[in-house]
Amino acid sequence: MTTQVIRRLLQTIPTLIGVSIVLVLIFHLIPGNFVDSNPTISKERATELKEMYGLNDPVHIKYIKWVQGAVKGDLGYSIQHKQPVTTIIDRYVWNSVLIAGAVMVLSWIIAIIVGVFSAVRQHSFFDGVITFIVFAVMSLPSFFLGLLAIKLFAVDMRIFPIGGMTTTGANYEGWAHVWDVLEHMILPVIVLTALNVGGLTRYFRTSMLDVIKQDFIRTARAKGLKERTVIFKHALRNAMIPAITLLGFEIPSLFAGAMITESIFNWPGIGGVFLDAITARDYFLMLGYTFFIAFLTIIGNVVADLLYRVVDPRVRMK
């Protein structure tokens, strides 16, 4: 098992190299940079900064310099924030992890429960209502759903805070601080969960429908097992096997999908910082964060392969 894991990790190296080449090339082709887009910087200072940070270097020189730093854990220097990119990612990424972790747990719990009942009661009124709600929510853009949630629950009903991570001016400590953060994260978590749960629900419903039609399910029922045992012990267990492959891609997708939502709710996460970097043409921050998401995706793929093998021993890693 250990040999297979090491071999699988080594196989990711060419992928990471290919991703890094594509990313550097793409960001090199993006017009403009932080220096040129900042009107407060004089021409002499702009020339000096471009030379200092290698903004005028050919693309192959940029790539070589960036890779040399990335191997050492240095993803470049953010001119916008005047800090190393790794420092910025480390500062803000944990706020995003807090949101992403809560959304992932809630999404999977809701999707499994609703998907199972929707599959068991196929073509029923419950199934029709769930299908309608799922497609309705999935069709709404995240910014609209976020603004709607703020309007209804923060402005009109005043149940939750409008935005931010903590109450402005409040210096809560201990459990009071924890509760304050929880209050502020409820709305963004609700919005992201609503957007994320639809696709998962349809996936679990389809997977359950495929499993409950199998011969071993009919055999289990013929043996006189309770329907609850048949569904949750036999059917759900086998329906979860294909879903394991989704786990590895959940967190990277949540980070990518949370950018707009974090900006709407003024949540100090890495997604909002990345959007600001795009606006400011902060080259190294954009490149470093995008490579970070690509790295998470590749590692998530490896983890999904390992989990798939653990759940289903019949699968052998190559």
Side-chain angles (χ1 to χ4, degrees), residues 4 20 37 57 62 68 77 85 91 98 114 120 130 139 151 162 172 233 268 284 293 308 310:
Q4 293 173 333
S20 64
S37 61
D57 291 340
K62 285 183 178 180
Q68 288 175 343
Y77 188 84
V85 172
R91 176 184 301 174
L98 187 63
V114 176
V120 172
I130 291 300
S139 65
K151 175 67 169 59
I162 293 179
Y172 296 119
K233 184 177 180 180
F284 290 108
I293 294 297
Y308 199 94
V310 171

Side-chain angles (χ1 to χ4, degrees), residues 203 207 236-245 308 311-312 314:
Y203 188 90
S207 185
L236 180 58
R237 183 177 179 179
N238 286 273
M240 285 291 292
I241 294 177
I244 293 297
T245 56
Y308 199 94
V311 174
D312 190 354
R314 297 171 299 176

Side-chain angles (χ1 to χ4, degrees), residues 5-23 66 245-253 255 289-307 317:
V5 173
I6 295 175
R7 184 186 302 124
R8 190 67 180 85
L9 290 174
L10 291 176
Q11 289 174 354
T12 65
I13 295 178
T15 306
L16 286 172
I17 294 175
V19 168
S20 64
I21 293 174
V22 172
L23 289 179
W66 186 81
T245 56
L246 295 177
L247 269 175
F249 301 101
E250 276 294 290
I251 292 182
S253 64
F255 278 127
Y289 174 72
T290 308
F291 183 79
F292 170 71
I293 294 297
F295 176 78
L296 284 183
T297 303
I298 294 171
I299 296 300
N301 190 18
V302 175
V303 172
D305 289 344
L306 297 176
L307 289 176
M317 293 177 59

Side-chain angles (χ1 to χ4, degrees), residues 123-141:
H123 303 312
S124 65
F125 176 76
F126 175 81
D127 186 31
V129 171
I130 291 300
T131 301
F132 173 78
I133 294 175
V134 163
F135 282 107
V137 175
M138 289 175 63
S139 65
L140 296 175

Side-chain angles (χ1 to χ4, degrees), residues 2-314:
T2 304
T3 304
Q4 293 173 333
V5 173
I6 295 175
R7 184 186 302 124
R8 190 67 180 85
L9 290 174
L10 291 176
Q11 289 174 354
T12 65
I13 295 178
T15 306
L16 286 172
I17 294 175
V19 168
S20 64
I21 293 174
V22 172
L23 289 179
V24 171
L25 179 60
I26 290 175
F27 285 112
H28 175 77
L29 296 175
I30 295 177
N33 53 64
F34 180 79
V35 176
D36 290 333
S37 61
N38 193 334
T40 62
I41 299 178
S42 63
K43 292 183 178 180
E44 293 76 12
R45 181 57 177 168
T47 303
E48 182 181 350
L49 288 174
K50 288 180 181 179
E51 187 67 26
M52 181 186 303
Y53 296 108
L55 297 178
N56 291 328
D57 291 340
V59 63
H60 64 282
I61 300 299
K62 285 183 178 180
Y63 178 75
I64 293 173
K65 289 182 177 179
W66 186 81
V67 168
Q68 288 175 343
V71 171
K72 302 175 184 178
D74 180 12
L75 296 178
Y77 188 84
S78 170
I79 308 177
Q80 178 189 8
H81 295 271
K82 297 179 175 61
Q83 288 180 336
V85 172
T86 50
T87 302
I88 298 171
I89 293 177
D90 182 65
R91 176 184 301 174
Y92 293 101
V93 74
W94 300 111
N95 297 335
S96 295
V97 168
L98 187 63
I99 293 286
V103 170
M104 187 172 67
V105 172
L106 287 175
S107 298
W108 276 71
I109 292 175
I110 295 173
I112 291 174
I113 295 174
V114 176
V116 168
F117 281 99
S118 182
V120 172
R121 302 177 183 179
Q122 186 183 15
H123 303 312
S124 65
F125 176 76
F126 175 81
D127 186 31
V129 171
I130 291 300
T131 301
F132 173 78
I133 294 175
V134 163
F135 282 107
V137 175
M138 289 175 63
S139 65
L140 296 175
S142 58
F143 71 87
F144 175 80
L145 202 58
L147 293 174
L148 182 62
I150 292 175
K151 175 67 169 59
L152 292 178
F153 299 108
V155 177
D156 294 342
M157 300 181 184
R158 297 184 179 180
I159 301 176
F160 303 114
I162 293 179
M165 188 174 178
T166 55
T167 303
T168 304
N171 296 316
Y172 296 119
E173 297 180 356
W175 287 107
H177 174 71
V178 173
W179 178 250
D180 188 37
V181 173
L182 288 175
E183 278 189 321
H184 284 77
M185 67 182 287
I186 287 176
L187 279 185
V189 166
I190 290 176
V191 170
L192 287 173
T193 301
L195 294 170
N196 192 54
V197 77
L200 282 175
T201 300
R202 301 302 298 173
Y203 188 90
F204 280 114
R205 179 183 180 274
T206 302
S207 185
M208 277 294 296
L209 286 175
D210 290 338
V211 172
I212 61 179
K213 295 176 183 178
Q214 300 295 321
D215 292 338
F216 73 93
I217 296 296
R218 286 194 289 268
T219 303
R221 285 172 173 159
K223 288 181 178 179
L225 296 179
K226 294 181 180 180
E227 186 66 15
R228 180 180 300 177
T229 303
V230 173
I231 295 299
F232 290 99
K233 184 177 180 180
H234 296 280
L236 180 58
R237 183 177 179 179
N238 286 273
M240 285 291 292
I241 294 177
I244 293 297
T245 56
L246 295 177
L247 269 175
F249 301 101
E250 276 294 290
I251 292 182
S253 64
L254 285 173
F255 278 127
M259 289 188 292
I260 297 176
T261 305
E262 286 181 358
S263 297
I264 291 174
F265 288 98
N266 197 28
W267 183 267
I270 191 64
V273 173
F274 179 68
L275 280 182
D276 293 337
I278 294 176
T279 304
R281 297 294 192 272
D282 194 343
Y283 175 83
F284 290 108
L285 182 53
M286 290 190 295
L287 178 58
Y289 174 72
T290 308
F291 183 79
F292 170 71
I293 294 297
F295 176 78
L296 284 183
T297 303
I298 294 171
I299 296 300
N301 190 18
V302 175
V303 172
D305 289 344
L306 297 176
L307 289 176
Y308 199 94
R309 188 189 183 282
V310 171
V311 174
D312 190 354
R314 297 171 299 176

